[in-house]
Amino acid sequence: QVQLVESGGGLVQAGGSLRLSCAASGRTLGYFYMPWFRQAPGKEREFVAVIGDDLSTAYADSVKGRFTISRDVDKNTVYLQMSSLKPEDTAVYYCATGRSLSRRSDQYRYWGQGTQVTVSS
């Protein structure tokens, strides 16, 4: 079992910044990839970014250049630095972890509870 706990969400004005954190604990050995997904009301969960334990990264086109994913391997924590936020970034943000690299949410076994990000115009 792996436990994931997100933090750092909140309300911010358009153009502002937020940093999300996701702390992993439990049997994390072998779970190399940690993505962030988000889900807006009435929409499907969508891929945002992912980082591997080798610190390789990938981003959705919609956030490329504005969001940065990073990882503290020693603390088993992943971060999502979000800048130049737009109202369309409003969603519940979830971190996850899995053994394989994918942009599909069904490929990740463990999920956090989510943290709300609201961007006002």
Side-chain angles (χ1 to χ4, degrees):
Q1 285 275 10
V2 177
Q3 295 79 41
L4 300 171
V5 179
E6 301 104 332
S7 60
L11 173 64
V12 64
Q13 288 189 334
S17 299
L18 278 176
R19 189 177 83 154
L20 306 183
S21 300
C22 173
S25 61
R27 296 188 172 190
T28 60
L29 186 65
Y31 287 88
F32 303 116
Y33 298 97
M34 293 191 73
W36 286 94
F37 284 78
R38 65 187 181 186
Q39 189 166 18
K43 295 188 176 181
E44 292 189 353
R45 193 167 295 190
E46 66 172 356
F47 169 79
V48 176
V50 63
I51 188 166
D53 64 341
D54 61 355
L55 304 184
S56 60
T57 60
Y59 294 90
D61 288 344
S62 60
V63 306
K64 202 173 291 183
R66 300 188 298 122
F67 291 10
T68 302
I69 191 169
S70 61
R71 185 169 187 168
D72 185 328
V73 177
D74 291 337
K75 294 183 178 179
N76 257 342
T77 300
V78 172
Y79 305 96
L80 186 68
Q81 177 68 47
M82 305 184 294
S83 302
S84 301
L85 282 161
K86 305 175 181 180
E88 51 263 45
D89 294 317
T90 295
V92 177
Y93 284 71
Y94 299 90
C95 69
T97 191
R99 299 183 183 275
S100 301
L101 177 64
S102 176
R103 296 182 180 226
R104 291 174 48 180
S105 60
D106 62 358
Q107 298 300 301
Y108 292 95
R109 181 173 183 181
Y110 294 106
W111 291 81
Q113 80 288 352
T115 185
Q116 176 70 46
V117 171
T118 303
V119 184
S120 63
S121 57

